[in-house]
Amino acid sequence: MRILVTGAAGHIGGHVTDELLAAGHQLVLTDLVPVGEPRAERVHTGDLQDPDLVRKAMDGAEAVVHLGAIPHPNVDDRSALFAANCLTAHRVFDEAGAAGVRRVVAASSMAAAGLAWSPVPVSPAYVPLDEAHPSLVRDPYGLSKVVLEEIAAAAHRRWGLDAVCMRFPFTGTGDRLGHFLAACAADPAAQRHDLWGWLHTLDAARAIRLAVEGDSRGSRVVNVTAADTTSTVPSAELMAAHHPGVPVPPSVTGHGTLFDTTACTDLLGFVPRRTWRNPPRQKEHISA
């Protein structure tokens, strides 16, 4: 397929580009900053708030991977962040629908549940946390991801396109992952708001490819995480220490993830391949 990838210069975007090209797809790339990727059919540099840029980039696309967004709420103008993320999401989905694109895969975030980036400590109602968990959002970034998911649903109703919004936790590889794991080892409480979730970026790229190539219908939201946590402390002990009163069912054993990823597995056939705990692969995971 010819696939438009927005946010192609970002951390996930580069790995998605490699994954999709290796699978034989033709790519059109966009980002605010220049993308030096000679393997792409076209590269567009500019703001996704610009309708002309989005229309030009969308020309001939059969599918879209939407990664372009401000990735955190650590900005001076929180309202501007919210407005930018929502406008660009609507622009991409609406132009995709108008252009006859049949599938859009978008990077949502676990922040849509409202734990990550919360300005006050908050605990989930239950674990494993699934996509139906009530939103506890208090921050503008998480709120923009809630709106992204609603934009996808509205685009399906209006245009008939199929959409998959993928709720990612922290994603990393190389030093980025190494620093995140070291921070958890030094203070597990620092990642209580993330429920110690993570995903290797190569697994994130593969999940996106599976979603693009899949045949799911409608607008779907799925959690995508590694099978384990970032901590050496067992998951039930983490919850007892940092989210007391939230029951942990027997299905969560050892260092198992505290997110329910059943929907992703059922919809896409995706099973994460990488764990930082596997000694034979640890060098690959930390330096890949």
Side-chain angles (χ1 to χ4, degrees):
M1 290 182 286
R2 179 177 289 107
I3 302 169
L4 168 62
V5 179
T6 74
H11 174 69
I12 297 179
H15 291 284
V16 168
T17 295
D18 290 341
E19 179 79 19
L20 294 176
L21 286 170
H25 300 293
Q26 296 82 47
L27 300 188
V28 178
L29 308 179
T30 73
D31 208 297
L32 272 171
V33 299
V35 182
E37 179 49 79
R39 298 173 295 173
E41 283 193 349
R42 303 195 311 274
V43 175
H44 297 266
T45 304
D47 196 326
L48 292 175
Q49 297 181 72
D50 178 356
D52 289 334
L53 177 136
V54 175
R55 289 184 193 118
K56 289 176 183 177
M58 199 72 67
D59 184 41
E62 299 167 78
V64 175
V65 175
H66 177 47
L67 306 174
I70 300 170
H72 56 73
N74 297 327
V75 297
D76 292 332
D77 191 335
R78 294 185 295 275
S79 295
L81 175 152
F82 174 76
N85 280 359
C86 294
L87 175 57
T88 55
H90 188 272
R91 185 83 71 203
V92 169
F93 273 94
D94 201 51
E95 293 295 344
V101 173
R102 302 311 305 166
R103 182 173 301 275
V104 179
V105 177
S108 185
S109 170
M110 290 300 183
L115 278 72
W117 306 113
S118 175
V120 297
V122 62
S123 292
Y126 57 83
V127 293
L129 190 150
D130 60 17
E131 297 85 355
H133 190 283
S135 179
L136 303 171
V137 167
R138 294 169 171 82
D139 72 281
Y141 173 72
L143 185 59
S144 75
K145 292 303 184 180
V146 173
V147 174
L148 164 76
E149 295 170 3
E150 289 299 322
I151 288 170
H156 169 68
R157 290 190 293 269
R158 177 170 183 177
W159 301 106
L161 62 77
D162 299 312
V164 181
C165 295
M166 314 193 86
R167 287 187 175 179
F168 291 124
F170 166 87
T171 60
T173 183
D175 290 342
R176 175 182 168 91
L177 176 57
H179 292 323
F180 196 69
L181 294 172
C184 185
D187 181 16
Q191 292 178 16
R192 71 180 297 280
H193 56 284
D194 293 314
L195 292 184
W196 306 275
W198 76 287
L199 182 67
H200 196 285
T201 316
L202 294 178
D203 275 340
R206 183 167 56 88
I208 287 170
R209 176 180 60 78
L210 290 172
V212 170
E213 295 175 345
D215 59 359
S216 63
R217 295 292 180 261
S219 180
R220 302 292 297 272
V221 177
V222 294
N223 292 341
V224 194
T225 75
D228 60 351
T229 68
T230 54
S231 178
T232 58
V233 179
S235 299
E237 293 183 28
L238 288 171
M239 290 298 295
H242 303 289
H243 295 285
V246 179
V248 179
S251 59
V252 177
T253 60
H255 303 95
T257 181
L258 291 160
F259 293 96
D260 188 330
T261 59
T262 304
C264 183
T265 301
D266 291 348
L267 186 70
L268 307 178
F270 172 77
V271 176
R273 293 175 178 170
R274 293 164 178 83
T275 169
W276 62 272
R277 301 170 201 279
N278 188 331
R281 292 189 175 185
Q282 188 168 7
K283 182 176 180 181
E284 172 200 346
H285 295 161
I286 301 302
S287 61

